[in-house]
């Protein structure tokens, strides 16, 4: 059985940053990723543009050059892929971690392909895998998706987009521009304030001119094969409908964290317990990195402000090793 100083669960930007930092410090390490390199970014919409500028997405001071100040998905995929390949990082792709057990001094990690032991574990799994369900009848119909990829699919279709965040607004605008008849279902009184500043005026103008129909303070009541029923302040409204994009956000895999023994706050935020000075959880040798640290507050951590987790964690690990 292979043994490592550090095993990193998740091959996104922060998991890659942790691998780079481990390599610099001559620590034996392995990154285990259940999908392709930067799996979450790969599953982003094809035309997605980041809120952050390219230099704020850089890891380990490796320059990220993009055509525009704010890079797009394909540029980010190229950047992180080149980092992995040019640095020959030890990463196992399309391998899913099934179980992590703490022994006396080490962890045993079982995947769907192999088994490893490690002195330390870093969980850098992000939050994009589990959508926030709206929990209404019909949500399991084939026409409903919690992920959006390409606007071409929805051309000439009656599309309802549920949500008011960046993902929902981007989808509504892109699909409308490709010929969809778009209805926007927004739970609150307005388009989300955190929508990208250059996109928010665009969607507001499209709504005001009547190109996109927005229903504010509205909730989905039921999804039917050819209809969508929503509750609005004016009463119940039935819309003709071909497809529903329920883009209401995502959450970390709390079940996995709890199986690891990580304590979560009892409130709705479900914040995992960790020491911000070391990123170590209540389990000795088990660390968190990246967006996973925010629990349900997924808007608080990004690539740009969680890059520092990698050197913080490796500082803690090297100090612990030198002390033993």
């Amino acid at each position: 059985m292979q043994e490592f100083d550090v095993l990193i669960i998740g091959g996104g930007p922060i998991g890659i940053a942790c691998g780079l930092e481990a390599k610099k410090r001559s620590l034996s390490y392995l990154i285990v990723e259940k999908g392709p390199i930067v799996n979450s970014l790969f599953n982003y919409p094809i035309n997605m543009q980041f809120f952050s500028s390219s230099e704020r997405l850089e890891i380990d001071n490796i320059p990220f050059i993009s055509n525009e100040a704010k890079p797009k998905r394909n540029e980010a995929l190229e950047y992180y892929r080149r980092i992995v390949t040019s640095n020959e990082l030890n990463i196992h792709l399309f391998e899913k971690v099934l179980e992590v057990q703490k022994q006396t001094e080490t962890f045993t990690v079982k995947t769907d392909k192999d088994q490893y032991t490690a002195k330390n574990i870093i969980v850098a799994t992000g939050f994009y895998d589990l959508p926030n369900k709206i929990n209404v009848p019909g949500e399991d119909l084939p026409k409903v998706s919690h992920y959006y990829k390409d606007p071409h699919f929805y051309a000439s279709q009656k599309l309802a987009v549920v949500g008011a965040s960046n993902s929902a607004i981007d989808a509504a605008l892109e699909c409308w521009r490709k010929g969809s008849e778009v209805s926007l279902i927004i739970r609150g009184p307005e388009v989300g304030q955190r929508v990208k500043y250059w996109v928010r005026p665009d969607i507001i103008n499209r709504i005001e001119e009547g190109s996109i129909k927005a229903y504010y303070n509205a909730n989905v009541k039921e999804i039917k094969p050819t209809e969508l029923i929503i509750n609005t302040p004016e009463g119940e409204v039935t819309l003709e409908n071909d497809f529903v994009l329920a883009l209401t956000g995502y959450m970390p895999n709390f079940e996995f964290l709890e199986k690891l023994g990580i304590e979560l706050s009892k409130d709705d935020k479900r914040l995992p317990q960790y020491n911000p000075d070391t990123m170590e959880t209540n389990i000795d040798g088990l660390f968190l990195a990246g967006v996973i640290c925010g629990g349900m507050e997924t808007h608080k951590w990004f690539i740009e402000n969680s890059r520092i987790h990698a050197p913080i964690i490796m500082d803690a690990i090297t100090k612990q090793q030198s002390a033993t």
Side-chain angles (χ1 to χ4, degrees):
M1 189 185 302
Q2 299 179 71
E3 181 171 322
F4 300 94
D5 291 320
V6 187
L7 189 141
I8 302 156
I9 305 174
I14 305 306
I16 291 170
C18 290
L20 287 170
E21 200 68 32
K23 185 174 182 179
K24 284 196 297 184
R25 297 168 192 245
S26 299
L27 296 170
S28 61
Y29 71 94
L30 172 65
I31 304 170
V32 180
E33 167 55 59
K34 71 175 184 178
I37 298 170
V38 290
N39 181 59
S40 291
L41 299 191
F42 174 76
N43 286 304
Y44 279 179
I46 286 178
N47 300 318
M48 181 264 186
Q49 187 170 30
F50 285 84
F51 191 95
S52 303
S53 55
S54 57
E55 72 273 8
R56 302 188 75 176
L57 299 175
E58 293 174 355
I59 55 177
D60 200 37
N61 295 315
I62 300 170
F64 183 174
I65 308 302
S66 58
N67 292 326
E68 301 175 53
K70 300 179 186 302
K72 295 188 176 179
R73 168 188 171 273
N74 64 320
E75 294 174 311
L77 293 180
E78 178 72 18
Y79 173 70
Y80 295 115
R81 182 175 67 246
R82 291 294 296 273
I83 288 177
V84 169
T85 56
S86 63
N87 288 277
E88 298 180 331
L89 291 184
N90 188 20
I91 183 169
H92 288 189
L93 301 172
F94 300 99
E95 183 170 349
K96 185 176 182 179
V97 173
L98 302 177
E99 187 178 23
V100 179
Q101 290 187 340
K102 179 72 185 288
Q103 311 301 327
T104 305
E105 298 292 335
T106 61
F107 295 87
T108 299
V109 180
K110 183 180 179 181
T111 74
D112 57 1
K113 293 183 178 180
D114 211 335
Q115 189 165 303
Y116 314 96
T117 59
K119 297 174 184 174
N120 301 277
I121 300 290
I122 300 173
V123 180
T125 49
F127 69 99
Y128 198 57
D129 290 331
L130 298 175
N132 292 321
K133 297 290 187 71
I134 54 178
N135 297 315
V136 298
E139 190 171 6
D140 58 348
L141 288 172
K143 72 172 191 174
V144 180
S145 177
H146 296 89
Y147 295 90
Y148 163 67
K149 195 73 175 179
D150 192 325
H152 175 83
F153 183 85
Y154 301 101
S156 301
Q157 299 295 291
K158 293 178 174 61
L159 172 67
V161 179
V162 184
S165 64
N166 277 299
S167 57
I169 300 308
D170 283 344
L173 286 168
E174 285 189 5
C175 292
W176 170 72
R177 290 197 163 96
K178 297 300 181 184
S180 300
E181 183 181 322
V182 178
S183 298
L184 192 55
I185 316 302
I186 297 176
R187 183 173 58 184
E190 62 178 355
V191 172
Q193 287 291 333
R194 287 197 293 267
V195 170
K196 290 172 281 198
Y197 64 83
W198 66 93
V199 173
R200 197 169 189 274
D202 188 3
I203 187 66
I204 290 172
N205 288 336
R206 303 293 75 75
I207 292 169
E208 288 180 349
E209 72 186 14
S211 298
I212 293 175
K213 174 64 176 177
Y215 295 88
Y216 296 109
N217 299 305
N219 291 285
V220 176
K221 179 181 180 182
E222 184 177 359
I223 303 169
K224 295 185 175 183
T226 60
E227 294 177 330
L228 180 71
I229 302 174
I230 61 175
N231 290 320
T232 76
E234 290 74 38
E236 189 174 286
V237 175
T238 299
L239 305 175
E240 292 184 23
N241 175 257
D242 298 308
F243 290 98
V244 176
L245 281 172
L247 303 179
T248 50
Y250 308 91
M251 70 177 78
N253 190 337
F254 293 116
E255 182 181 352
F256 180 66
L257 295 182
E258 289 176 321
K259 280 178 64 177
L260 294 176
I262 297 173
E263 295 181 4
L264 305 176
S265 66
K266 304 302 183 184
D267 56 19
D268 292 340
K269 296 179 181 179
R270 305 206 72 189
L271 297 170
Q273 180 179 318
Y274 66 92
N275 181 345
D277 294 329
T278 63
M279 308 308 296
E280 191 170 23
T281 68
N282 55 287
I283 306 295
D284 291 344
L286 179 55
F287 300 81
L288 298 181
V291 180
I292 195 77
C293 299
M296 287 300 294
E297 295 185 313
T298 54
H299 61 280
K300 286 200 169 181
W301 290 103
F302 304 95
I303 297 170
E304 62 189 65
N305 67 352
S306 60
R307 297 175 296 183
I308 60 170
H309 293 170
I312 289 173
I313 292 170
M314 295 308 160
D315 280 344
I317 290 174
T318 51
K319 286 177 182 177
Q320 288 173 1
Q321 288 193 345
S322 63
T324 56

